[in-house]
Amino acid sequence: MAKRQIDFKEDVLLYVLQQYGTEPEYLWKSYPDYAILRQADNRKWYAVIMSVPYATLGLSGSGKVTLMNVKCSPEMLSLFLAQKGFLPAYHMNKTHWLSILLDGSVDKETVIFLLNQSFDLTATRLRKQKLGLISHTEWIVPANPKYYDVESELKEGKEILWKQSNNIAVGDIVYLYVTEPTAAIRYQCEALEVNIPYQSKQTEIRVDRVMKIKCLKEFDKKELPREKLRAFGVTAVRGPRKMPFALSEEIKLMN
């Protein structure tokens, strides 16, 4: 008896319907089985599922294989392209998109992980809130020891005042990235109060608003160093920036 060929297409379509309420769209008469998955509000694509001949992809094998294109950070692209089952995006921007074979070459958990990341990269904050996917925003904020020695002051459970960053709201999670010579994320904090008027005594840096943050977790400097952050698309932390979905998921696995 011939071995049944694995195809995760139906698994993916069922997942996005249940998780995001996404119905596939079939846009091309010439390719009736090509499925587009897109955001309901901004109409951005977050995945394309296609059936393509192995030969067209430069792969050995007869017939066709189902693949899915997902959006991905350039830094993560290089990591996955070195692995079996991943290809430069078929007929899409190869700097920001990745093709995943859905024939079992890549396990289903990784397929869903990258699908979720693509959804996160293309979804608006409002869309994610409506789906109940986020109740807060996660930020990476630089901490320069030249101005404040946070590593000698902050411990788990302690509350401190920190320079207010625009858009950070009560309940948001703030990861403090300590700059050189540490060059690593050292603290996970929660914003307890924001936009507190403040008059700084330092002349090197102007601070007129602060926020109260509480340290939830302290990381060893070897756990989230700059080199690891680069693999998730964080090449520099010069100011407050949002935490990439993939890095957030990686940190959850560390807890």
Side-chain angles (χ1 to χ4, degrees):
M1 181 180 293
K3 185 178 179 180
R4 179 180 176 273
Q5 185 175 0
I6 295 174
D7 189 334
F8 289 146
K9 178 178 179 178
E10 293 305 318
D11 299 84
V12 167
L13 294 181
L14 179 61
Y15 177 81
V16 298
L17 177 62
Q18 294 176 338
Q19 182 75 2
Y20 303 128
T22 300
E23 294 274 5
E25 298 178 42
Y26 300 92
L27 305 180
W28 301 287
K29 291 182 179 180
S30 301
Y31 302 98
D33 58 343
Y34 281 25
I36 302 299
L37 305 178
R38 71 165 106 205
Q39 301 290 350
D41 52 0
N42 61 22
R43 309 302 290 163
K44 289 183 178 180
W45 296 8
Y46 66 90
V48 185
I49 302 175
M50 298 170 277
S51 182
V52 182
Y54 280 100
T56 301
L57 300 171
L59 302 175
S60 60
S62 58
K64 295 182 177 182
V65 62
T66 302
L67 62 80
M68 178 173 68
N69 285 354
V70 293
K71 195 162 190 180
C72 189
S73 71
E75 291 76 17
M76 290 195 70
L77 277 174
S78 60
L79 295 177
F80 285 107
L81 287 175
Q83 302 178 38
K84 179 183 177 183
F86 298 96
L87 300 168
Y90 178 70
H91 273 300
M92 292 185 74
N93 185 305
K94 292 175 173 51
T95 302
H96 299 286
W97 290 80
L98 174 71
S99 284
I100 312 169
L101 299 184
L102 299 184
D103 63 352
S105 300
V106 179
D107 63 83
K108 192 188 301 184
E109 290 74 19
T110 301
V111 170
I112 296 301
F113 170 80
L114 289 168
L115 179 64
N116 285 335
Q117 177 184 249
S118 186
F119 182 92
D120 184 76
L121 288 171
T122 55
T124 62
R125 176 179 172 83
L126 181 60
R127 170 84 168 131
K128 287 183 275 190
Q129 286 178 327
K130 285 183 176 179
L131 289 170
L133 300 177
I134 58 168
S135 57
H136 60 263
T137 301
E138 295 185 340
W139 302 85
I140 304 176
V141 174
N144 190 335
K146 175 183 176 181
Y147 302 116
Y148 180 68
D149 187 8
V150 67
E151 291 179 287
S152 66
E153 294 291 332
L154 194 55
K155 305 295 179 186
E156 288 187 18
K158 185 173 180 179
E159 298 176 7
I160 62 171
L161 296 179
W162 197 262
K163 182 182 178 182
Q164 173 70 41
S165 299
N166 290 338
N167 301 320
I168 294 183
V170 171
D172 282 358
I173 300 299
V174 177
Y175 289 89
L176 294 183
Y177 172 85
V178 181
T179 58
E180 295 287 357
T182 299
I185 288 178
R186 290 296 321 278
Y187 306 97
Q188 179 194 58
C189 305
E190 180 183 0
L192 302 179
E193 298 179 42
V194 297
N195 294 315
I196 304 169
Y198 186 81
Q199 187 170 359
S200 175
K201 297 179 181 179
Q202 296 188 32
T203 57
E204 301 94 337
I205 184 171
R206 179 183 175 183
V207 179
D208 50 24
R209 291 180 303 137
V210 296
M211 54 186 176
K212 181 185 289 186
I213 59 175
K214 179 179 181 179
C215 181
L216 305 177
K217 182 176 177 62
E218 183 176 357
F219 299 99
D220 185 273
K221 61 183 179 182
K222 295 180 180 179
E223 291 184 278
L224 292 167
R226 178 172 53 196
E227 292 73 20
K228 185 169 186 176
L229 302 187
R230 282 175 176 165
F232 291 90
V234 181
T235 56
V237 186
R238 299 187 181 92
R241 57 176 296 165
K242 291 183 179 178
M243 169 71 72
F245 170 81
L247 180 54
S248 176
E249 292 298 300
E250 176 73 11
I251 293 173
K252 288 176 184 176
L253 294 175
M254 294 168 54
N255 292 335

